[in-house]
């Protein structure tokens, strides 16, 4: 936050999920530290504004007590996904389930490299793009592919090189779809790990 003496605090909500009982506790923290307000972000997180700098440590302790104190908001482990087939009639694949698997896989990668840490991974359960896959560094949208014996398998088309969040329109770009590439759902976590490793070695 640009006002001196205050900070904006982003609370990481994996895939935007939150439990009912956490809402009451968050409301109390919002009243105590942020003037009774919280904002929902496009990254499926919450942001408290106007938090006094002297209260940051205390707020983090209180968030940790309700299991919302994890670091890494807006970083590579902060995966974004639309609901996919969990609740959307247009969904082709279970992007929420994949998002959980990808998040767990990314927790195990070496993210000490600052350029890797600030990457964004997003996925949508269909081409419509509600998960904003088209502006992610690594993005996927749901599709289907033929497996052995002609069995239809859930899969994802791959996008790389999307970008957003800069100070001008020129800082935003759509990712490039890799033509002819469909990744079976079960192979997506290892595919992301491979892309990250390749980027680290060859950029």
């Amino acid at each position: 936050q640009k006002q001196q003496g205050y900070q904006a605090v982003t609370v990481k909500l994996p895939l935007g999920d939150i439990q009912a009982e956490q809402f009451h506790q968050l409301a109390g923290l919002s009243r105590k530290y942020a003037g009774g307000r919280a904002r929902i972000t496009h990254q499926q997180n919450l942001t408290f504004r106007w938090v006094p700098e002297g209260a940051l440590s205390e707020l983090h302790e209180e968030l940790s007590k309700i299991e919302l104190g994890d670091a890494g908001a807006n970083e590579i482990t902060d995966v974004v996904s639309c609901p996919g087939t969990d609740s959307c009639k247009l969904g082709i694949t279970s992007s929420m389930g994949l998002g959980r698997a990808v998040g767990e896989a990314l927790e195990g990668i070496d993210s000490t490299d600052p350029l890797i840490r600030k990457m964004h991974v997003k996925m949508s359960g269909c081409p419509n793009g509600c998960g904003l896959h088209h502006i992610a560094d690594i993005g996927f949208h749901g599709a289907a592919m033929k497996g052995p014996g002609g069995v239809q398998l859930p899969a994802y088309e791959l996008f790389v090189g999307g970008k957003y969040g800069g100070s001008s329109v020129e800082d935003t770009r759509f990712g490039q779809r890799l033509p002819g590439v469909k990744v079976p759902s079960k192979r997506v976590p290892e595919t992301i790990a491979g892309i990250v490793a390749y980027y680290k070695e060859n950029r």
Side-chain angles (χ1 to χ4, degrees):
Q1 184 145 338
K2 66 181 180 180
Q3 289 82 3
Q4 189 171 356
Y6 295 91
Q7 295 287 337
V9 175
T10 300
V11 182
K12 182 180 176 183
L13 303 178
L15 298 178
D17 282 346
I18 185 170
Q19 302 303 314
E21 61 271 15
Q22 290 172 316
F23 269 112
H24 296 288
Q25 295 158 314
L26 277 172
L29 295 178
S30 174
R31 285 190 290 270
K32 185 174 180 180
Y33 298 104
R37 295 188 176 205
R39 294 189 177 190
I40 299 171
T41 76
H42 70 282
Q43 195 75 9
Q44 299 178 333
N45 294 320
L46 290 176
T47 296
F48 291 141
R49 297 180 66 229
W50 294 103
V51 178
E53 288 180 347
L56 291 174
S57 178
E58 184 179 332
L59 175 56
H60 181 252
E61 288 180 15
E62 294 296 323
L63 287 168
S64 296
K65 289 178 185 177
I66 60 173
E67 300 180 1
L68 293 176
D70 289 350
N74 302 325
E75 294 182 354
I76 190 168
T77 58
D78 193 8
V79 177
V80 169
S81 168
C82 73
T85 53
D86 285 10
S87 62
C88 178
K89 292 181 179 179
L90 300 177
I92 300 171
T93 57
S94 177
S95 47
M96 287 283 281
L98 180 65
R100 281 187 286 273
V102 167
E104 291 170 7
L106 289 173
E107 292 288 350
I109 70 164
D110 178 10
S111 59
T112 54
D113 184 322
L115 290 179
I116 289 175
R117 192 164 58 250
K118 73 176 187 177
M119 283 182 166
H120 298 106
V121 177
K122 301 178 186 292
M123 57 205 64
S124 303
C126 76
N128 285 320
C130 298
L132 304 180
H133 65 270
H134 48 286
I135 55 170
D137 296 279
I138 305 172
F140 296 90
H141 81 58
M145 63 182 295
K146 291 288 180 69
V151 177
Q152 187 166 302
L153 300 173
Y156 287 83
E157 295 197 19
L158 172 60
F159 294 72
V160 293
K163 182 182 177 186
Y164 68 94
S167 58
S168 68
V169 174
E170 288 74 24
D171 291 329
T172 301
R173 66 169 176 253
F174 289 121
Q176 297 296 307
R177 182 175 67 87
L178 273 60
V181 174
K182 287 187 179 179
V183 183
S185 295
K186 292 184 178 180
R187 303 291 299 274
V188 169
E190 66 183 271
T191 300
I192 293 174
I195 293 170
V196 170
Y198 183 86
Y199 173 74
K200 184 176 182 180
E201 294 298 323
N202 297 284
R203 70 167 184 262

